[in-house]
Amino acid sequence: ILKKENSTNLIRIFSPEHGFYSDISAGEKVENSTYLDIEVVSLYGKNRSPSDNDVKDLDVLIIDIQDIGSTYYTYVSTITNMLEAAAKHNISVIILDRPNPLGMLVYGPTREKFGFIGMHPIPIRHGMTVGELSIMINEEGWLKDNLKSNLVIVKLENYTRNAEYELPIIPSPNLPNKRSINLYPSLCLFEGTNVSAGRGTKMQFQIFGSPYLDKKNNIFNFIPQKNSGSKNPKHENIICYGKNLGNLGRQNKLNLSFLINAY
């Protein structure tokens, strides 16, 4: 749209983890590219923040990105880095807000240690839209060196927080549907353990299991294998025993206590 608009000069596009088309697996470096002869600068390659040269010729930065409502997801970290770069160079920022597919329910502990996966002291499931969270980051002084961005939010129309919302385009290869997005905040807690959350299958973040779990009490099994979403899945080509949560309805909310009691 901006490319066709005569009143604007689209100079550069920035892409986050998973790339411009949201089709690159988690953690994989993304190279710079082009789209419609416009330079696409990767913010998940050698740099995770734009360089001074990347932004010095910009008047306005437009952010249009679909977060999924959980602190594990790195899109909010990329937004934070962009807000800092814009504030440093006195560039105005327009955020085109998008719904939070997890809705307004807030739960989980608040981070005390921060990194690119989770930069801010917010719960695992934060219950905010991209626009709301960006205002919070900007106004709470969470940008480096007390920077503050000139921020404008284009608000959502006809959006109610309790409404069911299914993303029209998947945000990344390992979140293929609404069910995986709903279970992601809980099952992602297994990522740092020897339990697989389904990467390397077609039911990512809808199942969990491990070769080390009891076969008798865990009759569901699966074998993680390389696929487009995971080049080196945990327990690759090994039978994992666990649970299939794919049939859980929305009312059967998976929460932290469920995971604690599971084993």
Side-chain angles (χ1 to χ4, degrees):
I1 292 172
L2 292 173
K3 175 80 168 177
K4 295 177 181 178
E5 177 57 53
N6 292 328
S7 63
T8 64
N9 181 18
L10 179 59
I11 296 176
R12 196 164 294 111
I13 299 170
F14 298 92
S15 70
E17 184 180 9
H18 308 299
F20 184 67
Y21 295 99
S22 302
D23 61 350
I24 297 176
S25 61
E28 186 178 346
K29 287 186 177 181
V30 183
E31 300 297 332
N32 293 348
S33 59
T34 59
Y35 176 75
L36 298 178
D37 297 324
I38 301 295
E39 179 187 19
V40 179
V41 176
S42 170
L43 298 179
Y44 204 79
K46 62 180 181 180
N47 297 313
R48 293 189 178 178
S49 296
S51 68
D52 289 344
N53 285 334
D54 289 332
V55 298
K56 68 180 183 180
D57 52 353
L58 305 182
D59 297 312
V60 177
L61 173 69
I62 298 176
I63 296 177
D64 181 15
I65 192 169
Q66 180 63 64
D67 183 45
I68 66 154
S70 175
T71 55
Y72 312 124
Y73 220 60
T74 61
Y75 286 2
V76 170
S77 299
T78 298
I79 291 172
T80 301
N81 289 344
M82 295 303 294
L83 292 177
E84 288 177 349
K88 179 181 176 182
H89 291 271
N90 197 28
I91 299 168
S92 296
V93 178
I94 299 173
I95 293 185
L96 309 183
D97 209 359
R98 285 176 174 263
N100 183 335
L102 295 177
M104 67 182 297
L105 179 65
V106 177
Y107 74 69
T110 299
R111 280 189 175 274
E112 296 178 351
K113 295 182 179 180
F114 309 107
F116 193 71
I117 301 177
M119 281 188 169
H120 307 297
I122 54 178
I124 288 175
R125 184 166 171 167
H126 55 68
M128 289 179 279
T129 67
V130 166
E132 292 167 339
L133 188 50
S134 296
I135 291 172
M136 189 176 190
I137 293 167
N138 200 44
E139 298 300 323
E140 289 291 331
W142 293 346
L143 300 181
K144 292 178 181 177
D145 302 322
N146 296 315
L147 291 169
K148 183 172 285 191
S149 180
N150 178 20
L151 190 60
V152 174
I153 309 295
V154 178
K155 295 182 179 180
L156 293 158
E157 293 183 354
N158 305 315
Y159 175 60
T160 57
R161 293 175 178 277
N162 293 323
E164 296 283 327
Y165 182 75
E166 189 158 1
L167 301 183
I169 299 173
I170 64 171
S172 56
N174 285 304
L175 293 175
N177 53 46
K178 184 177 180 180
R179 187 179 297 111
S180 64
I181 290 172
N182 286 337
L183 291 169
Y184 176 79
S186 294
L187 292 196
C188 202
L189 292 170
F190 283 131
E191 292 281 79
T193 73
N194 64 7
V195 175
S196 166
R199 292 185 189 271
T201 74
K202 293 183 179 180
M203 296 187 69
Q204 306 96 315
F205 295 103
Q206 300 163 75
I207 57 178
F208 65 92
S210 171
Y212 311 112
L213 296 180
D214 184 4
K215 299 179 185 179
K216 293 181 180 180
N217 294 324
N218 299 279
I219 58 174
F220 179 77
N221 63 75
F222 59 93
I223 301 176
Q225 296 178 319
K226 286 184 174 70
N227 61 21
S228 60
S230 184
K231 291 190 173 181
N232 297 288
K234 190 184 300 179
H235 304 311
E236 182 179 354
N237 298 323
I238 300 174
I239 297 177
C240 295
Y241 303 93
K243 304 291 185 185
N244 179 356
L245 306 175
N247 295 323
L248 279 179
R250 187 168 177 80
Q251 298 305 315
N252 299 320
K253 295 183 176 68
L254 186 71
N255 55 38
L256 304 184
S257 62
F258 177 94
L259 296 179
I260 292 170
N261 293 330
Y263 295 100

